[in-house]
């Protein structure tokens, strides 16, 4: 290679970035497990035929290859299709409704852009085996609790139902075959705006008056109940749309009972979600502080798992994009900013005192303090203290002959510069106080 570099759209994550990413995953795991979800891990490689025919227009983004045995394989596109396989494969071992979360990398051969990568990490949470709108509401509640715990400001979750958009298409004079094209066009609303979507619809062959009616309906805005009431008045003669609106009312009622603040969600008829396997509720969370698109999304997909299981298994879920959350949190200055996994750095005062410093490091670790130990006394204390500071460790500990004689340790705060002598038996407590 003429130049060492990453594959375009795939990134290395060094220490500080990884600490933030680990924080994000830890928070999401805590929220999911607080709701009783259990973990699942699946291989990153699946048979290609498992993914093919499930993703609509996005199927062209699948990374496919043949192994040495001539088997047609594919890299995981997302966590959803592998979940469907697991449910069908282990149906006899699962108790429904089954709440599961999964975390790991996925791969898509798309054009890289800000917040969009070819290798990306997702954290999914799904409820399998329940058609209840309370399941939908719980997934949206998990989304809300997670973003609040991560410190995201001013976010709102947009709610819609695929049959509301279908009803809008039908009410505008389009047949069922044309409705899928409406999904794709409306899905670009936030990117293209009303004029751009109108052009998309006209290129599809939609009549100007029908395009105007579609745009008027998808731009209805306001309090969720008012939006649903207005849509009911306009789409009430469409049975499927009427049922979808009633479903949204039930989801919102569940959100109220679960304590989700009303400013955290709204009904948005323009929301479509591009993946073809969605069948019911769809949602996306967005914040005005990140204009590049939604933070995350999800929805109900009641037919995908049934394609594998041979029977209907209703499912609803969401996917947190760890890369996008990380990028937004870095840009907005959210979350903790640790520079090291270690709190303490134990120096070696001089040759011959290594055993004493190693014993101190061992005591700190046994007390729950993450501790680095200098590996040599060469260069003196100044070099070791500089090394500790460069590594982002906050506290340096010095154990010289005088400290050993007095049963003390010198504790130096590298952030503020202050230092003091602490009794050997009180060092762990002193470090715990200093971290607060």
């Amino acid at each position: 290679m003429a130049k060492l570099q990453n594959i375009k759209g795939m990134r290395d994550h060094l220490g500080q970035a990884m600490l933030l990413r680990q924080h994000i995953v830890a928070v999401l795991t805590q929220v999911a497990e607080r709701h009783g979800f259990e973990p699942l891990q699946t291989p990153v490689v699946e048979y290609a035929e498992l993914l093919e025919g499930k993703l609509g227009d996005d199927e062209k983004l699948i990374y496919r290859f043949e192994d040495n045995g001539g088997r047609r394989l594919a890299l995981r596109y997302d966590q959803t299709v592998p979940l469907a396989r697991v449910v069908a494969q282990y149906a006899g071992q699962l108790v429904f409704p089954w709440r599961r979360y999964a975390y790991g990398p996925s791969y898509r051969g798309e054009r890289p852009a800000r917040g969009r990568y070819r290798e990306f990490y997702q954290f999914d949470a799904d409820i399998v085996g329940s058609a209840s709108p309370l399941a939908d509401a719980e997934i949206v509640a998990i989304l809300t609790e997670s973003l609040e715990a991560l410190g995201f400001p001013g976010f709102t979750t947009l709610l819609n139902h695929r049959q509301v958009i279908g009803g809008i298409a039908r009410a505008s004079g389009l047949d069922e075959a044309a409705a899928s094209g409406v999904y794709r066009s409306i899905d670009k609303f936030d990117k293209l705006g009303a004029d751009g979507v109108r052009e998309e619809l006209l290129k599809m062959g939609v009549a100007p008056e029908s395009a105007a009616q579609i745009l008027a309906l998808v731009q209805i805005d306001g309090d969720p109940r008012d939006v649903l009431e207005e849509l009911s008045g306009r789409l009430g003669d469409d049975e499927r749309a009427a049922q979808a609106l009633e479903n949204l009312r039930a989801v919102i009622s569940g959100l109220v009972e679960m304590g989700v603040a009303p400013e955290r969600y709204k009904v948005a008829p323009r929301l479509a979600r591009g993946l073809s396997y969605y069948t019911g509720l769809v949602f996306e969370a967005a914040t005005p502080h990140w204009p590049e698109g939604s933070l995350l999304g999800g929805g109900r997909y009641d037919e995908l798992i049934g394609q594998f299981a041979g029977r209907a298994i209703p499912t609803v879920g969401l996917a947190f994009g760890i890369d996008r959350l990380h990028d937004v949190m870095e840009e907005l200055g959210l979350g903790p900013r640790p520079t090291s996994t270690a709190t303490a750095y134990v120096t070696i005062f001089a040759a011959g005192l290594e055993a004493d410093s190693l014993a101190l490091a061992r005591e700190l670790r046994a007390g729950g303090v993450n501790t680095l130990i200098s590996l040599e006394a060469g260069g003196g204390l100044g070099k070791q203290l500089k090394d500790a500071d460069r590594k982002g460790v906050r506290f340096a500990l010095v154990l010289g002959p005088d400290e050993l004689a007095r049963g003390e340790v010198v504790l130096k705060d590298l952030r503020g510069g202050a230092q003091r002598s602490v009794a050997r038996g009180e060092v762990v407590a002193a470090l715990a106080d200093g971290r607060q």
Side-chain angles (χ1 to χ4, degrees):
M1 294 180 63
K3 178 183 178 182
L4 292 175
Q5 60 185 2
N6 300 63
I7 295 173
K8 190 174 182 181
M10 301 184 183
R11 303 189 294 175
D12 297 313
H13 302 288
L14 302 184
Q16 193 164 356
M18 279 304 302
L19 290 172
L20 178 55
R21 292 167 73 86
Q22 288 175 347
H23 167 74
I24 294 170
V25 174
V27 168
L28 300 182
T29 300
Q30 290 167 3
V31 173
E33 292 188 351
R34 194 157 61 229
H35 282 257
F37 284 58
E38 61 185 67
L40 170 70
Q41 186 174 29
T42 61
V44 75
V45 177
E46 299 277 2
Y47 286 108
E49 63 189 59
L50 183 85
L51 278 66
E52 292 168 347
K54 314 296 189 305
L55 304 170
D57 291 343
D58 289 336
E59 187 170 312
K60 63 181 179 293
L61 304 179
I62 297 173
Y63 274 107
R64 301 174 177 88
F65 62 97
E66 283 191 5
D67 68 3
N68 291 336
R71 287 171 286 265
R72 294 182 61 251
L73 305 176
L75 295 180
R76 184 166 58 202
Y77 177 90
D78 62 15
Q79 300 276 4
T80 304
V81 176
L83 170 65
R85 175 186 58 75
V86 165
V87 171
Q89 191 171 339
Y90 301 95
Q93 302 177 36
L94 304 175
V95 178
F96 297 112
W98 180 41
R99 292 170 169 88
R100 87 86 171 90
Y101 69 88
Y103 166 69
S106 297
Y107 299 85
R108 297 179 188 176
E110 61 185 348
R111 180 180 300 173
R114 190 181 186 208
R116 187 178 293 274
Y117 305 99
R118 288 173 174 163
E119 179 187 63
F120 57 97
Y121 283 73
Q122 286 182 309
F123 185 105
D124 283 25
D126 295 80
I127 300 177
V128 182
S130 174
S132 170
L134 288 179
D136 297 355
E138 183 170 22
I139 288 292
V140 176
I142 287 173
L143 180 159
T144 306
E145 291 174 30
S146 297
L147 292 184
E148 287 178 342
L150 290 170
F152 277 88
F155 70 88
T156 304
T157 300
L158 308 179
L159 309 173
N160 200 14
H161 193 289
R162 290 303 283 265
Q163 284 303 326
V164 168
I165 295 181
I168 288 174
R170 292 187 291 270
S172 302
L174 278 66
D175 60 23
E176 202 64 37
S180 61
V182 174
Y183 292 143
R184 290 192 295 272
S185 297
I186 297 304
D187 193 42
K188 303 174 185 177
F189 190 94
D190 288 338
K191 179 180 179 181
L192 301 179
D195 291 340
V197 172
R198 180 182 294 106
E199 290 300 316
E200 288 265 325
L201 293 171
L202 294 177
K203 288 178 183 177
M204 286 171 42
V206 176
E209 58 273 15
S210 295
Q213 185 169 352
I214 290 170
L215 285 168
L217 288 169
V218 300
Q219 292 183 85
I220 295 173
D221 196 12
D223 179 83
R225 289 178 173 82
D226 294 339
V227 173
L228 292 174
E229 191 64 29
E230 184 167 354
L231 288 171
S232 293
R234 305 249 197 134
L235 305 177
D237 293 337
D238 187 294
E239 183 177 351
R240 284 177 286 173
Q243 291 175 350
L245 293 169
E246 193 58 37
N247 177 263
L248 285 172
R249 289 188 180 92
V251 171
I252 290 172
S253 178
L255 292 175
V256 172
E257 296 302 324
M258 291 177 186
V260 178
E263 66 270 17
R264 289 303 190 197
Y265 58 87
K266 63 189 300 185
V267 175
R270 70 182 184 276
L271 179 65
R273 299 285 292 165
L275 290 175
S276 60
Y277 53 64
Y278 288 120
T279 59
L281 174 79
V282 289
F283 55 85
E284 286 185 354
T287 172
H289 303 284
W290 176 256
E292 304 298 323
S294 65
L295 294 172
L296 70 144
R300 175 165 287 280
Y301 52 102
D302 287 346
E303 298 172 1
L304 178 63
I305 291 179
Q307 294 180 33
F308 298 89
R311 60 188 177 91
I313 301 181
T315 305
V316 61
L318 81 166
F320 294 92
I322 303 302
D323 299 273
R324 179 161 296 191
L325 293 180
H326 168 266
D327 291 354
V328 179
M329 290 180 70
E330 277 217 321
E331 185 163 312
L332 300 182
L334 305 178
R337 284 291 180 273
T339 55
S340 172
T341 57
T343 300
Y345 185 104
V346 176
T347 61
I348 297 177
F349 187 84
L353 295 180
E354 291 90 348
D356 298 292
S357 291
L358 288 169
L360 175 60
R362 187 170 64 250
E363 291 169 18
L364 295 178
R365 291 169 185 146
V369 179
N370 291 359
T371 303
L372 274 170
I373 178 74
S374 178
L375 298 179
E376 56 186 46
L381 282 177
K383 180 178 183 299
Q384 294 177 63
L385 293 174
K386 184 176 181 180
D387 183 50
D389 188 48
R390 289 181 61 202
K391 291 180 181 298
V393 183
R394 179 172 178 182
F395 297 102
L397 290 88
V398 179
L399 189 60
D402 293 342
E403 287 76 28
L404 283 168
R406 294 194 301 266
E408 295 179 345
V409 176
V410 172
L411 178 63
K412 182 175 180 62
D413 186 341
L414 298 176
R415 186 179 300 172
Q419 71 177 44
R420 60 192 173 108
S421 294
V422 179
R424 180 75 171 261
E426 298 175 4
V427 174
V428 171
L431 286 168
D433 290 340
R435 289 198 300 262
Q436 296 174 2

